Amino acid sequence: MPQPTSAESDDKRACFGFPAIGRKKVSAAFDGGRLTSDGGVLLLGQAERQMGIADRLAACIADPRDQSRVIHGKADILRARMLAIACGYEDANDLDALRHDPGFKLALGKCPEGPVGLASQPTMCRWENAPTTRELVRLTGALVDIYCASYPAPPAAVTLDIDDTVNVVHGAQQLSFWNGHYGERCFLPIHVYDTATGRPVAMLLRTGKTPSGAEVAGHVRRLIRRIRRYWPDTAITLRGDGHYGRPEIMAWCEANGVDYIFGLPGNRALHADPVIVTQGDACATDRAVRKLVELRRYAETRYAAKSWGEATRRVVARIEASTLGLDIRFVVTSLQDGSAERIYDTLYCARGQAENLIKLHKAQLKSDRTSCRSANANQMRLILHTAAYWLMWKLRHAMPATAALRTAEFATIRLRLIKLAARVIETATRIRIAFASACPEADTFRQIARALCPAPT
């Protein structure tokens, strides 16, 4: 009797079973051949080609390799990494398994049966650590260029939200710092978004302490000057919470034609202001007389903190009286038009959407996986995750306005449009991709594919 070959034995060990159905044995194995579980990566590949993100980023990094022996170009290496992140593979380790995935190979313009796969995990790791500090500055500037290029024409006005978020560290990483508020050693990277459209603008890794006014003013100066290269006449408004309302930032904005709306921590002088006291007392009295659970009023005054020098600025107060007492919140702004209610409720409170965008970037694209020892490598990771954010934004933006997923979070889009099983069939003259007949998002998938298809030349 012939003995089974080692390959046959491996196949038998790889098989596993499920309960029988109708007296029929159910067995399974990962031997389906040229299949992909990320069929939607083809849409992401089209989105990346349309935006040219990988080529822009690759142009910022020097390549010291002998080009006659290069197999994977810089752009392809970065492209594979950002596609993997968008598909939910935030660790470079996953590239060892994905480098021969037919869906990923097609997304990078390679034939599924080609003998050469995508770049491996060690290659990805080397290029995450390759950029110098000067190159990282250029890469960060390239993200701003991508943001400006995403508009077909310079907008009349934009509002940029600036905020930071905690990235907990796990070891002696460069720039890690103990933060008493969070009770952790961490980074506090700065995120900037065009919140009205969901576009990312800039991401900057930094140490875990609250940024000073001088530090933020420097970041804002470089960011706005980069944007002004493309949009010299666009009205720009900067918006942030209380610890961004520093005199250095406000003075720079006023000197350079940039409007701002910042939260302003309350103090004795503000709470003792005659206008605020009068409105607060009236609000509390009216609530009690009318027996309401809560009542909200708005007021504004001119205020000059000692740290502001001789500058006097417009301060808007939101006054809320409830059964728990009086709660007053302040914002400081350079905007002179609009009522106090509009400044606070419509303009300032809209910055809450930036928290949702940070969640997409950090929680759903895992940009807090800044686990390299080198600060430069972690900044490179932040750039790659921002590039993946752009791919997901572009995918969502390509959907029809009536599509249910047009306002969905990235995790939902990934589940419904990217994690699609597909069989890749390659013949001598064509490549055919067979998706499941029962795919519930088939119509939306087709519409996105058509929208991202390059125009005929």
Side-chain angles (χ1 to χ4, degrees):
M1 181 176 179
Q3 296 295 320
T5 64
S6 60
E8 290 173 339
S9 299
D10 289 343
D11 286 344
K12 288 181 179 179
R13 284 196 299 268
C15 288
F16 52 97
F18 292 96
I21 298 176
R23 295 187 179 182
K24 294 184 179 180
K25 181 181 178 181
V26 180
S27 63
F30 287 95
D31 59 357
R34 205 175 299 115
L35 297 169
T36 180
S37 58
D38 298 283
V41 72
L42 295 170
L43 296 180
L44 294 172
Q46 287 293 95
E48 193 284 322
R49 283 186 179 86
Q50 197 172 94
M51 300 188 72
I53 299 176
D55 291 328
R56 282 178 179 265
L57 297 182
C60 300
I61 309 172
D63 190 349
R65 299 176 295 176
D66 180 356
Q67 296 303 306
S68 65
R69 305 177 66 181
V70 167
I71 298 175
H72 304 292
K74 289 183 297 179
D76 277 348
I77 293 171
L78 300 181
R79 188 176 290 115
R81 184 75 170 101
M82 64 181 71
L83 289 175
I85 293 170
C87 289
Y89 305 106
E90 66 273 8
D91 288 324
N93 293 341
D94 295 315
L95 270 298
D96 280 340
L98 295 173
R99 60 196 306 251
H100 294 291
D101 182 285
F104 276 85
K105 292 180 77 172
L106 284 173
L108 268 76
K110 300 180 183 296
C111 290
E113 287 190 347
V116 178
L118 308 182
S120 64
Q121 181 272 333
T123 302
M124 295 291 176
C125 186
R126 281 194 294 272
W127 280 99
E128 282 184 351
N129 285 271
T132 64
T133 302
R134 189 179 296 274
E135 288 171 339
L136 288 170
V137 171
R138 290 200 291 267
L139 285 163
T140 304
L143 291 179
V144 181
D145 297 342
I146 291 168
Y147 162 67
C148 293
S150 69
Y151 279 89
V158 294
T159 298
L160 305 181
D161 280 292
I162 183 169
D163 203 355
D164 49 62
T165 184
V166 60
N167 282 11
V168 178
V169 303
H170 306 282
Q173 293 153 263
Q174 292 178 353
L175 293 185
S176 65
F177 196 84
W178 175 263
N179 189 295
H181 176 74
Y182 296 105
E184 298 277 5
R185 290 190 69 86
C186 61
F187 303 125
L188 281 183
I190 288 178
H191 289 234
V192 183
Y193 295 92
D194 180 345
T195 305
T197 62
R199 289 172 164 91
V201 182
M203 312 295 152
L204 180 67
L205 187 79
R206 53 175 307 283
T207 190
K209 63 180 180 180
T210 301
S212 67
E215 178 190 348
V216 176
H219 298 323
V220 168
R221 181 180 69 251
R222 289 184 287 271
L223 172 63
I224 300 300
R225 286 180 178 174
R226 187 91 182 195
I227 294 174
R228 287 292 187 209
R229 295 182 188 178
Y230 300 91
W231 303 340
D233 301 319
T234 297
I236 299 175
T237 301
L238 197 64
R239 185 167 57 192
D241 64 12
H243 67 272
Y244 285 94
R246 306 295 181 86
E248 296 92 340
I249 307 171
M250 293 187 286
W252 186 89
C253 288
E254 290 163 352
N256 290 272
V258 176
D259 286 316
Y260 59 82
I261 308 174
F262 294 124
L264 185 65
N267 55 38
R268 290 183 180 180
L270 280 170
H271 285 284
D273 185 279
V275 175
I276 306 301
V277 171
T278 301
Q279 289 291 337
D281 290 345
C283 184
T285 302
D286 287 352
R287 186 211 65 81
V289 170
R290 296 162 62 182
K291 298 182 180 179
L292 300 174
V293 176
E294 63 180 28
L295 181 63
R296 180 174 288 193
R297 297 277 176 82
Y298 301 87
E300 64 176 271
T301 186
R302 303 294 297 184
Y303 175 69
K306 184 181 293 185
S307 60
W308 296 357
E310 298 180 357
T312 301
R313 297 183 170 100
R314 184 187 186 189
V315 172
V316 168
R318 187 272 287 154
I319 303 168
E320 186 172 275
S322 70
T323 54
L324 299 177
L326 201 61
D327 179 54
I328 305 177
R329 303 292 176 89
F330 302 94
V331 299
V332 57
T333 180
S334 64
L335 297 172
Q336 300 304 316
D337 297 330
S339 65
E341 180 176 359
R342 181 177 182 275
I343 292 293
Y344 191 92
D345 273 359
T346 303
L347 300 181
Y348 178 72
C349 289
R351 67 167 295 275
Q353 177 63 12
E355 300 289 343
N356 294 328
L357 301 182
I358 291 175
K359 181 180 73 172
L360 297 180
H361 197 288
K362 176 181 170 183
Q364 299 187 14
L365 292 177
K366 307 296 183 183
S367 66
D368 59 346
R369 298 297 290 270
T370 45
S371 53
C372 295
R373 182 182 180 277
S374 162
N376 280 1
N378 285 323
Q379 175 64 39
M380 184 62 186
R381 284 195 174 189
L382 206 56
I383 290 167
L384 290 170
H385 282 267
T386 305
Y389 184 110
W390 270 115
L391 299 186
M392 296 297 286
W393 178 89
K394 184 66 175 179
L395 191 65
R396 186 165 64 179
H397 192 69
M399 297 181 197
T402 56
L405 294 177
R406 182 66 182 254
T407 57
E409 294 187 340
F410 290 169
T412 303
I413 294 173
R414 181 187 295 137
L415 179 65
R416 303 296 294 273
L417 286 174
I418 297 176
K419 295 297 181 181
L420 300 180
R423 182 180 296 278
V424 180
I425 305 164
E426 183 177 2
T427 64
T429 58
R430 64 185 293 190
I431 298 172
R432 188 173 185 277
I433 305 158
F435 292 99
S437 302
C439 176
E441 302 296 342
D443 288 340
T444 302
F445 195 99
R446 289 190 198 96
Q447 291 170 319
I448 296 172
R450 293 190 186 106
L452 295 176
C453 185
T457 57

